[in-house]
Amino acid sequence: MALLTNVNWQSKLNKAAHHTSDYSSTEAILRRGQAFTITVNLQTMVCHSELLSLFPLAGPAPAESQQTKAIFNLSEEGASGWSATQEPSEPGCMNFTIFSPADAVIGRYKLKLQTVSGNKVSSTLLGQFVLLFNPWCPNDDVYMANEKERWEYVLNDSGIIFQGLEKHIQPEAWNYGQFEEDILDISLAILDRSLNHRQDPAVDTSNRNNPTYVSRVISATVNSNDEKGVVEGKWNGKYCSGTNPLQWSGSVTILRKWYRGRYKPVRYGQCWVFAGVTCTVLRSLGIPTRVITNFNSAHDTNINLSIDKYVDISGKTLHLTEDSVWNFHVWNESWFIRRDLGSFYDGWQVLDATPQERSKGIYQCGPASTRAIKEGDVNLDYDSSFVFAAVNADYVTWIHYSKKRKERIYSDTRKIGKFISTKAVGTNARVDVTANYKYPEGSLKERQVYKKALKLLGVRSTGKRTKITRRRRRSSVAWRQNMTQPAQKPNISGKLILDASPVIGQDILLTLALRNLISDFKTIKVKLSASAILYTRKPKTEILQLSRSIKLGSEEVKEISFKISYSQYKNSLMDDRKILVTALCETKQGASLLVEKDIVLQDPLLTIKVLGPTVVHMAVNVQVTFTNPLSEVVTDCVLRAEGSGLLKEQLRINVARMAPMESSTVQFEIIPYKSGTRQLQVDLVCIHFSDIKGFVMLDVAPAP
């Protein structure tokens, strides 16, 4: 019998061929459906009469019936699709080329060599390797034909997540860091912590050949609601017992904190955090994935494709329903074929790890085919009805006078699902992908799809619902346009105007312009209110409430100027900097008018300068300059910096004190350890105001 001395996993050769060179691991990391080479060094030679077989084993209970164990002889393809050939080699060693099938289970494998000589059977463990999905392999379900897209959606370890408002879209940098040390191990651990794995580890492992299954498990396990997964969500109150979601800049710190903390959920996350972490995990496993932002995103709890908003007689938002419209919502898309649905539904699949509603008993969402959403096929797996509502629901506004009396003032069919955005391939530009989710608003096809979705959901066209749905709409575009008008058209119009771009620390100056649309003299009661809001549009704190009476002559225009002083909002905007201003305008005759404006206070300026060339393994200084935006002293600020390939751990620098309106400069050193385009992120965290963030892209040259 041959005696083994060591195994050479040909790491450099295999990693280059399998596009896994970026992983910070000495372990063999390979992609399925592609050959890899190993060299076995022997103390004694193998006799020609000896039969050699290889055993790749995955999971806690490997079995051929579960596709987690394969047995195959050299030069023979096993029933599982695995095979191996022996290549020419030097004396005392054997070269094997091993082929895995394109539908192999992904995860960590043990590889054993079995030798049979006569009646003697011996088995030797050759070592371990990790097998991933393979977007480069045409037979893999995640195959992506375009090389630039593969680089962006699998290999790019940084990106942009769009946030803000539909009229004020802001790019925020995010460090995915899927190749950083431990991240692949953590991603595999997330699969092992799932409810499915705990209930039946063998069946769960055998299902890991299917990206539909794996991505759905990840959408459930990134949030902590059921499995004590990675991130705990929080959308109100204080964040004293954790980290404010706005302060995260990437996934690496979060994933390591969860892993090193023995799987205790990391506090706290909101939608972009869940999406950023999900993107990291899925890219690390080899599934092409991107982050999507939907502006004016509906959260339709009862899936009737209608979002009802109630305001009181002062214009203040009332919470009489669980439905809501978020300024933006962030989810993921992953690229793979849908064997369960048919080839028409192949391509981008929506996944949402933010815990909003239960799906089949647990907080998970997707994968939902974007083709299914666009075509109104809301009956298809998984959760396509929820995503359809997020981009397509009607938005109905009511004034709530009492339990017995309410007035419907608007029914808007165009508000929901605007500027659906993702980062462009190869640049940080924004790409609008709304057309992937729905046909053009106002088109005949869009109306047909909406009608189809209502029918599939069983939403009846009788009763109260018929007033606000599209089911009874006539075919003309004019009818659709009328749907955006109140039930009774007001005879005044109004607009809220910002007098200047609002900056944190300064007063906010606004003007309400009102126009009388008819010849009759009018007296208008105006109730102005302003609230600090979350990005979910849920009010946190009331900041301002004013009442005015204004007289308008025939077709006259008048303006009401008012301000929200810094002292009024300073204690309400320390976590976020969003304000909702409303003006409810009422006349004795005619419909009421509700005017709304979302305000996002601008970030103070933060500049990043790299003081020299960036080269692998060569130190270079970075200079960050920022300004205290307030007219008061601020203390206890912290400057954070991170970036994959630039800093192995997040850097923190204390900024002890800044005088009013004072500019400060902080300098620190980075030593890049990976070449190529890299993203350096900087975040100034202070208890006196919300984070000030910035980023810069660096081209790092290889070591000389």
Side-chain angles (χ1 to χ4, degrees):
M1 303 289 283
L3 293 174
L4 182 96
T5 55
N6 65 66
V7 179
N8 181 350
W9 282 87
Q10 304 288 355
S11 179
K12 193 170 183 180
L13 179 74
N14 287 325
K15 281 188 172 182
H18 288 247
H19 306 93
T20 58
S21 299
D22 288 335
Y23 287 91
S24 302
S25 172
T26 56
E27 195 169 19
I29 300 171
L30 310 162
R31 297 192 188 274
R32 66 185 191 176
Q34 189 172 336
F36 62 95
T37 304
I38 64 170
T39 300
V40 178
N41 295 304
L42 303 167
Q43 195 172 334
T44 59
M45 291 300 294
V46 175
C47 300
H48 289 292
S49 60
E50 293 180 344
L51 179 66
L52 299 178
S53 302
L54 289 163
F55 289 61
L57 308 165
E64 288 182 88
S65 62
Q66 303 272 24
Q67 287 187 285
T68 51
K69 177 181 179 181
I71 303 172
F72 50 93
N73 300 328
L74 288 182
S75 303
E76 293 179 13
E77 184 173 330
S80 62
W82 288 81
S83 64
T85 57
Q86 187 174 345
E87 308 292 346
S89 58
E90 299 291 323
C93 66
M94 298 173 67
N95 291 332
F96 296 125
T97 298
I98 301 170
F99 301 87
S100 65
D103 63 349
V105 165
I106 62 106
R108 185 167 276 107
Y109 281 78
K110 293 176 181 176
L111 184 63
K112 290 185 177 182
L113 176 66
Q114 180 177 280
T115 309
V116 180
S117 179
N119 294 325
K120 291 184 178 180
V121 179
S122 70
S123 182
T124 306
L125 179 64
L126 299 181
Q128 293 191 143
F129 64 94
V130 176
L131 198 64
L132 305 176
F133 290 103
N134 192 352
W136 285 263
C137 174
N139 294 322
D140 196 308
D141 285 0
V142 304
Y143 174 63
M144 183 170 258
N146 186 294
E147 175 59 31
K148 289 182 179 178
E149 290 183 349
R150 286 194 297 254
W151 182 87
E152 181 67 54
Y153 301 132
V154 183
L155 300 181
N156 194 357
D157 59 6
S158 67
I160 298 294
I161 299 177
F162 293 98
Q163 299 181 30
L165 307 171
E166 61 165 306
K167 294 180 181 177
H168 187 71
I169 297 174
Q170 298 170 295
E172 298 286 350
W174 193 265
N175 176 27
Y176 297 121
Q178 67 267 33
F179 304 118
E180 294 301 296
E181 192 174 345
D182 298 332
I183 297 301
L184 178 56
D185 286 341
I186 296 168
S187 299
L188 295 172
I190 290 171
L191 289 173
D192 288 345
R193 298 290 298 174
S194 72
L195 283 178
N196 293 16
H197 193 77
R198 291 188 216 176
Q199 288 164 1
D200 194 328
V203 170
D204 171 67
T205 304
S206 72
N207 285 328
R208 293 183 189 175
N209 65 333
N210 182 353
T212 299
Y213 177 85
V214 169
S215 62
R216 185 160 172 80
V217 168
I218 294 301
S219 86
T221 320
V222 163
N223 70 66
S224 68
N225 288 47
D226 302 292
E227 297 95 336
K228 293 191 175 177
V230 180
V231 180
E232 181 178 329
K234 187 177 173 72
W235 281 266
N236 51 44
K238 299 292 183 183
Y239 303 103
C240 306
S241 55
T243 298
N244 184 325
L246 291 161
Q247 293 178 3
W248 299 115
S249 298
S251 309
V252 176
T253 304
I254 295 169
L255 288 165
R256 285 177 177 163
K257 188 176 177 69
W258 176 77
Y259 194 56
R260 294 169 183 174
R262 297 185 178 182
Y263 313 117
K264 183 181 178 183
V266 176
R267 296 175 172 175
Y268 292 103
Q270 290 172 5
C271 66
W272 64 91
V273 180
F274 291 106
V277 171
T278 299
C279 188
T280 298
V281 172
L282 292 174
R283 284 187 186 180
S284 77
L285 297 174
I287 301 178
T289 302
R290 62 189 186 181
V291 174
I292 300 289
T293 304
N294 177 37
F295 290 92
N296 293 348
S297 188
H299 180 182
D300 186 10
T301 54
N302 56 1
I303 316 296
N304 67 349
L305 305 189
S306 177
I307 305 295
D308 293 316
K309 175 185 174 172
Y310 294 91
V311 297
D312 66 14
I313 56 173
S314 69
K316 183 179 176 183
T317 300
L318 300 173
H319 294 284
L320 304 180
T321 171
E322 292 299 312
D323 288 354
S324 58
V325 176
W326 298 10
N327 283 334
F328 67 90
H329 181 47
V330 184
W331 59 64
N332 299 94
E333 287 178 358
S334 289
W335 178 273
F336 46 84
I337 69 173
R338 292 299 296 268
R339 295 184 183 276
D340 56 330
L341 301 181
S343 60
F344 180 79
Y345 301 101
D346 293 350
W348 289 115
Q349 314 291 325
V350 173
L351 297 153
D352 192 350
T354 302
Q356 295 182 91
E357 299 295 327
R358 285 187 172 90
S359 170
K360 300 193 186 299
I362 64 173
Y363 285 96
Q364 58 189 343
C365 184
S369 164
T370 55
R371 294 293 298 274
I373 296 159
K374 184 169 183 175
E375 299 300 330
D377 295 326
V378 293
N379 56 324
L380 297 182
D381 286 340
Y382 292 91
D383 310 305
S384 55
S385 58
F386 186 79
V387 184
F388 184 90
V391 300
N392 262 320
D394 285 353
Y395 184 68
V396 185
T397 306
W398 305 78
I399 298 177
H400 187 270
Y401 294 100
S402 66
K403 286 184 179 180
K404 294 182 178 179
R405 185 181 167 226
K406 61 183 179 181
E407 177 190 356
R408 179 167 66 92
I409 54 174
Y410 287 103
S411 182
D412 192 339
T413 60
R414 299 182 181 221
K415 181 181 178 69
I416 304 300
K418 292 290 192 74
F419 302 107
I420 304 174
S421 303
T422 193
K423 176 190 173 299
V425 172
T427 76
N428 286 334
R430 185 184 73 86
V431 173
D432 193 300
V433 294
T434 307
N436 292 356
Y437 284 82
K438 54 186 178 179
Y439 289 95
E441 292 282 4
S443 68
L444 178 62
K445 183 67 175 174
E446 189 272 340
R447 291 197 301 277
Q448 291 170 342
V449 167
Y450 191 93
K451 200 171 183 180
K452 173 184 175 182
L454 285 174
K455 187 175 181 181
L456 287 169
L457 291 170
V459 178
R460 301 188 321 177
S461 61
T462 57
K464 194 181 294 183
R465 175 69 183 138
T466 60
K467 296 179 184 177
I468 54 175
T469 67
R470 308 180 194 193
R471 177 175 275 274
R472 288 181 57 192
R473 283 182 296 181
R474 303 172 190 130
S475 59
S476 68
V477 173
W479 171 244
R480 176 170 178 82
Q481 290 171 340
N482 287 338
M483 287 291 288
T484 65
Q485 301 301 321
Q488 181 185 357
K489 190 174 180 180
N491 43 37
I492 53 172
S493 66
K495 188 175 184 181
L496 281 163
I497 303 160
L498 274 170
D499 294 0
S501 294
V503 178
I504 193 85
Q506 298 179 12
D507 295 346
I508 303 167
L509 306 176
L510 293 119
T511 299
L512 173 66
L514 291 175
R515 178 189 293 272
N516 187 356
L517 300 175
I518 60 175
S519 56
D520 294 349
F521 178 86
K522 285 200 161 301
T523 300
I524 302 162
K525 289 183 179 178
V526 180
K527 293 172 180 174
L528 291 158
S529 65
S531 297
I533 58 168
L534 298 167
Y535 77 100
T536 60
R537 288 178 69 84
K538 184 175 181 181
K540 289 194 301 182
T541 316
E542 189 170 87
I543 294 172
L544 174 77
Q545 198 159 54
L546 295 171
S547 292
R548 295 281 188 274
S549 186
I550 186 169
K551 294 179 178 180
L552 285 179
S554 172
E555 298 182 1
E556 185 181 7
V557 177
K558 280 189 179 177
E559 295 181 343
I560 301 174
S561 294
F562 62 101
K563 75 174 181 179
I564 304 170
S565 67
Y566 170 60
S567 61
Q568 286 174 302
Y569 72 74
K570 63 179 283 190
N571 293 324
S572 303
L573 295 190
M574 289 187 291
D575 295 332
D576 206 348
R577 47 174 74 99
K578 296 182 179 70
I579 296 173
L580 175 63
V581 181
T582 64
L584 181 61
C585 309
E586 294 178 298
T587 60
K588 286 186 177 178
Q589 281 129 3
S592 301
L593 175 73
L594 181 69
V595 186
E596 294 184 318
K597 188 169 190 66
D598 288 281
I599 298 172
V600 178
L601 275 68
Q602 290 183 350
D603 285 335
L605 192 63
L606 180 146
T607 58
I608 307 167
K609 286 185 180 177
V610 181
L611 308 177
T614 49
V615 181
V616 170
H617 302 318
M618 291 183 63
V620 63
N621 285 323
V622 177
Q623 190 179 82
V624 180
T625 303
F626 44 86
T627 303
N628 172 12
L630 307 182
S631 54
E632 57 191 67
V633 173
V634 299
T635 55
D636 302 321
C637 296
V638 177
L639 188 76
R640 298 175 177 173
E642 69 176 271
S644 289
L646 301 171
L647 291 162
K648 294 203 171 182
E649 297 279 352
Q650 189 182 72
L651 185 69
R652 294 176 174 227
I653 300 166
N654 291 323
V655 181
R657 183 184 187 279
M658 283 192 289
M661 311 302 287
E662 179 189 9
S663 290
S664 288
T665 298
V666 170
Q667 193 163 299
F668 59 89
E669 182 182 86
I670 60 171
I671 305 175
Y673 53 95
K674 287 183 180 177
S675 60
T677 303
R678 299 283 154 202
Q679 185 188 77
L680 178 65
Q681 300 161 27
V682 173
D683 180 12
L684 181 67
V685 180
C686 184
I687 60 170
H688 302 276
F689 47 80
S690 55
D691 289 24
I692 303 172
K693 293 188 175 187
F695 71 94
V696 64
M697 304 304 294
L698 306 177
D699 288 315
V700 179

